[in-house]
Amino acid sequence: MKRYVCNVCGYVYDPAQGDPEGGIPPGTAFEDLPDDWVCPICGSSKDDFSPE
């Protein structure tokens, strides 16, 4: 699974770690994140992320 980086703040979403604080369990691919998921650092939408 690919890692994705936020184009605004540089946060890297790693599927192996998920986003536990956001309720996203480890092993969740970026493509499988809910459409309303936002960057846990700056609040940017999924559209502001690019493959690493």
Side-chain angles (χ1 to χ4, degrees):
M1 287 188 280
K2 283 190 197 177
R3 293 168 23 137
Y4 282 74
V5 62
C6 178
N7 298 321
V8 177
C9 73
Y11 168 81
V12 176
Y13 175 77
D14 184 348
Q17 295 178 7
D19 177 17
E21 291 181 14
I24 306 298
T28 302
F30 185 82
E31 295 82 1
D32 295 334
L33 292 172
D35 289 337
D36 61 352
W37 181 84
V38 296
C39 176
I41 303 299
C42 70
S44 294
S45 71
K46 285 176 64 176
D47 292 338
D48 290 319
F49 280 73
S50 299
E52 188 177 49

